[in-house]
Amino acid sequence: MTSEIPSQEKKINFKKDLPLTLGISALYLVLSYFLVGFKTDQLVLIGIFNTLYYLSSTTRKFIIGFSIFIVYWIIFDYMKAFPNYNYNAVHIADLYQFEKNLFGINHQGKLLTPNEYWLLHTHSFLDVMTGVFYLMWVPVPLAFAAYLFFNEKRNFLNFLLTFVWVNLLGFVVYYLYPAAPPWYVQQHGFEFIANTPGNTAGLARFDNFFGIELFKSIYSKGSNVFAAMPSLHSAYPLIVVYYGAKGKFRKANIFFVTVMLGIWFAAVYTSHHYLSDVLAGITTAVVGIFSFNWLKERKPLAKFIQSMLKLIS
């Protein structure tokens, strides 16, 4: 499938574009410094954006399209400056009891949450597989988006915008309902401790199996550990499956569905999320997909999508 708008090769106007991209880059660095502090990751992001913008016409269109995802990433990073527990009480014991009452498993005369059950039944095979599935939440959506960019540009934009919209819905819930993950209860009980650092939880077993610190390095950069409900890790693969089904990627969708189910299980097995968090993530994805489909037919968003299509075609 090709784009609805004919491709138009446009030369870069350095006199116009260079001050704009450098200005945006400088503004991002300054704002980041005051909000979350300077990090080398910020220079890497700026380097990738500017390199792709000026490398060629194709890479420029590519990074302009992916700027939708970059905006999401920046918002996610800036959440560190505004911890959700400063605005509402964190749910710890009540969420734990809700999980146990709704999904509790009787084990040797004791009622356990699914996380507690799996903590007693870990296996090296499951440790490795859940780690692999949890790593896929970034590359699979990005690879799928890259494919859509080169083959179905309108669906590419719809996919990225849906992705960002679902995240924004999830972020709203994070601030309305701050929630501790299962591993927090396992390590700290029901006492609220502000500024608790990120934790690999059950994914540490993946690192230990291979003698690496992959997940440790990832979770040390987390924005807020009290943002477990909804599980957006569980929402992302459902968005991929939805757009994969729309595009009739039959063979690929078998893989997408497998990854989706694997991530859902991994979220609970590794104690990063309660089963209720996962279900809330699935619900957020469904609400986000249907509401975006309604919004994209409204004039403001329709005009934006059309303008973006012109820029990337």
Side-chain angles (χ1 to χ4, degrees):
M1 185 183 296
T2 58
S3 173
E4 293 87 341
I5 298 176
S7 178
Q8 297 176 357
E9 295 295 325
K10 294 182 180 180
K11 293 183 178 180
I12 295 175
N13 183 342
F14 282 97
K15 188 175 180 180
K16 176 184 176 183
D17 291 358
L18 196 57
L20 179 62
T21 56
L22 290 179
I24 292 174
S25 300
L27 179 63
Y28 167 63
L29 283 178
V30 171
L31 191 59
S32 298
Y33 175 79
F34 285 106
L35 287 178
V36 295
F38 172 76
K39 296 179 293 184
T40 54
D41 293 358
Q42 296 157 5
L43 291 179
V44 172
L45 180 59
I46 287 174
I48 292 174
F49 178 84
N50 284 280
T51 298
L52 293 179
Y53 190 89
Y54 292 106
L55 187 62
S56 70
S57 174
T58 299
T59 58
R60 182 168 69 255
K61 294 170 184 176
F62 183 83
I63 200 61
I64 288 174
F66 265 92
S67 63
I68 296 171
F69 184 84
I70 293 173
V71 168
Y72 143 74
W73 187 256
I74 292 173
I75 293 173
F76 176 76
D77 191 38
Y78 285 177
M79 286 172 64
K80 295 186 182 78
F82 309 96
N84 60 348
Y85 53 76
N86 287 340
Y87 305 92
N88 280 299
V90 176
H91 296 266
I92 306 175
D94 57 343
L95 181 57
Y96 171 82
Q97 292 299 335
F98 175 81
E99 178 80 2
K100 181 179 284 189
N101 292 335
L102 200 61
F103 303 111
I105 300 172
N106 282 299
H107 180 70
Q108 297 179 353
K110 188 177 181 181
L111 189 63
L112 305 175
T113 66
N115 310 96
E116 292 170 331
Y117 175 83
W118 284 111
L119 196 60
L120 297 174
H121 297 83
T122 61
H123 191 282
S124 56
F125 173 76
L126 293 176
D127 296 339
V128 172
M129 290 307 301
T130 52
V132 170
F133 280 124
Y134 232 54
L135 286 172
M136 289 185 180
W137 83 264
V138 172
V140 170
L142 288 183
F144 183 57
Y147 174 86
L148 291 176
F149 171 81
F150 289 105
N151 295 275
E152 301 180 18
K153 284 188 167 55
R154 184 176 290 275
N155 270 341
F156 163 77
L157 290 174
N158 289 340
F159 172 72
L160 284 187
L161 288 169
T162 302
F163 184 90
V164 173
W165 176 238
V166 168
N167 273 279
L168 293 177
L169 293 176
F171 293 168
V172 170
V173 179
Y174 285 167
Y175 282 89
L176 293 175
Y177 189 88
W183 64 259
Y184 181 90
V185 174
Q186 294 165 13
Q187 296 187 17
H188 305 291
F190 299 132
E191 179 186 0
F192 168 66
I193 304 172
N195 299 314
T196 301
N199 194 287
T200 55
L203 292 170
R205 296 191 295 270
F206 178 93
D207 282 358
N208 294 336
F209 183 88
F210 291 103
I212 58 177
E213 294 187 343
L214 176 60
F215 282 107
K216 182 179 179 180
S217 65
I218 293 173
Y219 280 91
S220 65
K221 302 174 183 178
S223 285
N224 185 358
V225 303
F226 301 110
M229 169 79 80
S231 166
L232 290 179
H233 277 88
S234 302
Y236 302 147
L238 182 55
I239 302 171
V240 175
V241 168
Y242 172 76
Y243 278 94
K246 281 192 69 174
K248 299 179 180 179
F249 300 99
R250 291 182 178 86
K251 293 182 179 179
N253 236 25
I254 294 175
F255 170 72
F256 293 155
V257 170
T258 302
V259 170
M260 178 179 70
L261 296 176
I263 289 177
W264 291 352
F265 173 71
V268 177
Y269 176 81
T270 62
S271 289
H272 275 276
H273 290 283
Y274 292 114
L275 183 55
S276 50
D277 298 338
V278 172
L279 293 175
I282 294 169
T283 302
T284 303
V286 172
V287 171
I289 288 169
F290 279 95
S291 58
F292 175 80
N293 285 338
W294 182 84
L295 288 169
K296 72 184 175 74
E297 301 301 327
R298 312 280 79 79
K299 192 172 183 179
L301 187 55
K303 286 183 66 175
F304 174 76
I305 293 173
Q306 199 65 18
S307 298
M308 287 294 293
L309 275 173
K310 291 179 180 178
L311 289 174
I312 69 175
S313 298

